[in-house]
Amino acid sequence: MNKIILTGDRPTGRLHLGHYVSTLKRRVTLQNSGQYDKVLIMIADAQALTDNFDNPEKIRQSIIEVALDYLSVGLDPSISTLLIQSQIPELTELTFYYMNLVNTARLYRNPTVKAEMQPKHFEANLPAGFLCYPISQAADITAFKATTVPVGEDQLPMIEQTREIVRKFNSIYKDILVEPEALLPQKKVCRRLPGTDGTAKMSKSLGNCIYLADTPDEIRKKVMGMFTDPLHIQVSDPGHIEGNTVFTYLDAFCEDRHFAQYLPDYACLGELKAHYQRGGLGDVKFKKFLNEILQEELEPVRKRRAIYEKDISAVYEILKSGSEQARAIAAETLDEVKDAMKINYFADTALIESHRHKYEDETPA
Ligand code: ATP
Ligand code: MG
């Protein structure tokens, strides 16, 4: 069986450090590993419209931002196919057929949808499209027969929903769809990076992000304003590591070599943490350290972005040709699906012949 990756992001803004540590960096490694027959990276605009239907301009403006972020981290359009979801109508058609395979109670139970619904206060005005977006995600994944979906932890319920749909489809109709596996970041801390404000998840919708395209000054200001330990008032006070966002980010980004370079008083993160817990270490010192690490990590990303920013038409061309290539694959799967579901009337000569026989041959002239 072919090894195929499908993953993507909603164009609701620029991409941030949460995306970077959980999937973006990994995608580049997987792309360059040569172990996959196909790598498809999707900008999920139709999904983003399910809860931004009244603000289409935001989605429209964000497509290029996400595409530039992709290219800036090193996704290479000569290896990976970059596509825009809405440009592949086959995905919408598949979604409609899969809707019959899922009941509404199951959709209301989805923990990610539940969590995302809460701050939006939809209540009785919950858009049906939003409730059903896990089904459309199943269509995206299965249309390309993806085997592997690199994602953050919040997406696990979506992959589970996809697997259920695949099993149901294959058992009712025909065994043609592929059950995908989620690929989570190896480091636990990268599976759900908190926001700079200390909230559970860095998220474009929550305004608590460090963006890949932020300027050095923006990064520094955000790091210096990050949530740490509210009980650590005097430098001499013992500090807490758990829930301390700066330490969480250090867990995600820091390597021992960074100490020799930027903070030679310590050999490793364990030593720095121990000092904080003992008391006597001020927030500014380890915030500055984190800032150095992030500046080093994001500088090449920003530089690559600047190159692509100078040729925006080429970026749109990459998306157009990627969408066309992806559409051809999705169309093949849709044909198979319609065949399995017996909605292939005009291609089924046996059907036409049997009806011809029933009516033409047996109806007296
Ligand atoms: P939105 O607020 O519009 O939902 P988002 O910031 O949650 O945006 P998505 O486009 O929904 O971003 O997510 C794209 C991918 O990035 C998914 O695989 C998701 O799991 C991952 N991801 C998003 N935010 C984080 C985070 N803070 N930590 C780890 N992974 C994340
Ligand atoms: Mg999200």
Side-chain angles (χ1 to χ4, degrees):
M1 190 169 65
N2 282 345
K3 284 175 77 180
I4 297 171
I5 289 180
L6 179 279
T7 184
D9 308 272
R10 294 154 37 99
T12 47
R14 290 177 164 184
L15 298 183
H16 54 64
L17 284 183
H19 302 114
Y20 186 70
V21 288
S22 70
T23 86
L24 284 181
K25 239 180 140 172
R26 188 82 177 277
R27 290 178 202 174
V28 178
T29 316
L30 296 169
Q31 162 197 274
N32 296 337
S33 73
Q35 287 178 3
Y36 289 86
D37 298 285
K38 225 166 195 8
V39 179
L40 298 125
I41 312 288
M42 185 179 81
I43 303 182
D45 61 338
Q47 186 191 118
L49 281 166
T50 64
D51 56 333
N52 291 279
F53 57 87
D54 51 355
N55 195 358
E57 199 52 33
K58 172 169 138 191
I59 307 306
R60 185 179 169 80
Q61 296 301 332
S62 300
I63 301 250
I64 188 73
E65 299 298 337
V66 173
L68 285 166
D69 286 331
Y70 284 168
L71 296 164
S72 72
V73 297
L75 286 172
D76 175 351
S78 72
I79 311 175
S80 298
T81 309
L82 308 187
L83 60 126
I84 303 181
Q85 185 186 26
S86 64
Q87 301 309 297
I88 300 164
E90 286 78 5
L91 300 177
T92 320
E93 205 173 332
L94 277 177
T95 305
F96 192 68
Y97 297 135
Y98 292 173
M99 279 175 145
N100 302 328
L101 306 178
V102 183
N103 62 49
T104 50
R106 174 70 181 86
L107 292 170
Y108 281 110
R109 252 195 344 259
N110 184 309
T112 305
V113 174
K114 261 192 196 163
E116 288 174 345
M117 242 151 65
Q118 215 177 12
K120 298 186 205 288
H121 301 291
F122 284 136
E123 275 106 40
N125 294 322
L126 172 68
F130 185 73
L131 182 67
C132 293
Y133 92 71
I135 305 179
S136 99
Q137 230 167 294
D140 305 333
I141 295 169
T142 55
F144 304 107
K145 303 209 169 155
T147 49
T148 314
V149 189
V151 282
E153 195 175 58
D154 64 314
Q155 293 300 306
L156 287 181
M158 307 304 168
I159 311 298
E160 197 38 51
Q161 176 73 83
T162 301
R163 292 167 63 89
E164 282 173 33
I165 290 175
V166 168
R167 288 196 291 267
K168 199 153 183 186
F169 183 98
N170 286 351
S171 74
I172 296 176
Y173 302 115
K174 195 174 173 193
D175 195 359
I176 53 171
L177 300 180
V178 177
E179 265 191 68
E181 304 275 356
L183 195 64
L184 285 178
Q186 284 126 335
K187 271 195 194 171
K188 196 157 188 292
V189 61
C190 298
R191 294 179 182 176
R192 187 183 297 248
L193 195 74
T196 49
D197 55 357
T199 49
K201 182 176 171 286
M202 181 178 283
S203 170
K204 288 174 245 140
S205 310
L206 300 176
N208 56 9
C209 306
I210 294 178
Y211 294 100
L212 301 183
D214 277 350
T215 62
D217 203 42
E218 283 168 330
I219 297 169
R220 192 183 50 77
K221 282 199 184 117
K222 287 181 185 178
V223 171
M224 296 318 281
M226 266 171 81
F227 180 84
T228 53
D229 172 9
L231 301 174
H232 185 254
I233 296 160
Q234 312 279 353
V235 172
S236 56
D237 290 342
H240 295 85
I241 303 294
E242 308 76 43
N244 185 322
T245 319
V246 179
F247 277 104
T248 310
Y249 283 30
L250 286 173
D251 280 330
F253 290 96
C254 174
E255 294 162 25
D256 288 352
R257 70 171 177 89
H258 289 130
F259 283 95
Q261 218 167 335
Y262 304 119
L263 200 59
D265 294 351
Y266 306 85
C268 63
L269 191 52
E271 275 186 17
L272 187 72
K273 284 182 178 172
H275 190 182
Y276 190 64
Q277 284 169 313
R278 256 192 337 266
L281 174 61
D283 284 9
V284 172
K285 194 161 180 179
F286 62 91
K287 280 183 170 174
K288 279 188 172 163
F289 179 50
L290 175 64
N291 176 54
E292 296 287 1
I293 296 172
L294 293 182
Q295 297 289 357
E296 179 191 310
E297 185 82 32
L298 294 180
E299 194 196 344
V301 175
R302 210 170 33 240
K303 280 194 169 148
R304 220 176 289 126
R305 193 182 218 270
I307 297 170
Y308 283 105
E309 281 175 355
K310 292 207 164 64
D311 196 356
I312 292 297
S313 317
V315 178
Y316 271 103
E317 203 41 56
I318 289 169
L319 294 174
K320 184 163 178 258
S321 110
S323 301
E324 283 164 5
Q325 286 170 39
R327 187 170 182 193
I329 305 172
E332 274 178 36
T333 306
L334 182 64
D335 274 350
E336 280 183 75
V337 161
K338 289 171 87 170
D339 238 34
M341 293 179 71
K342 301 195 175 299
I343 42 182
N344 56 351
Y345 317 112
F346 307 129
D348 188 351
T349 46
L351 175 81
I352 299 168
E353 187 51 32
S354 75
H355 286 168
R356 207 193 56 71
H357 177 69
K358 178 173 166 191
Y359 290 104
E360 291 180 12
D361 295 350
E362 291 180 8
T363 312

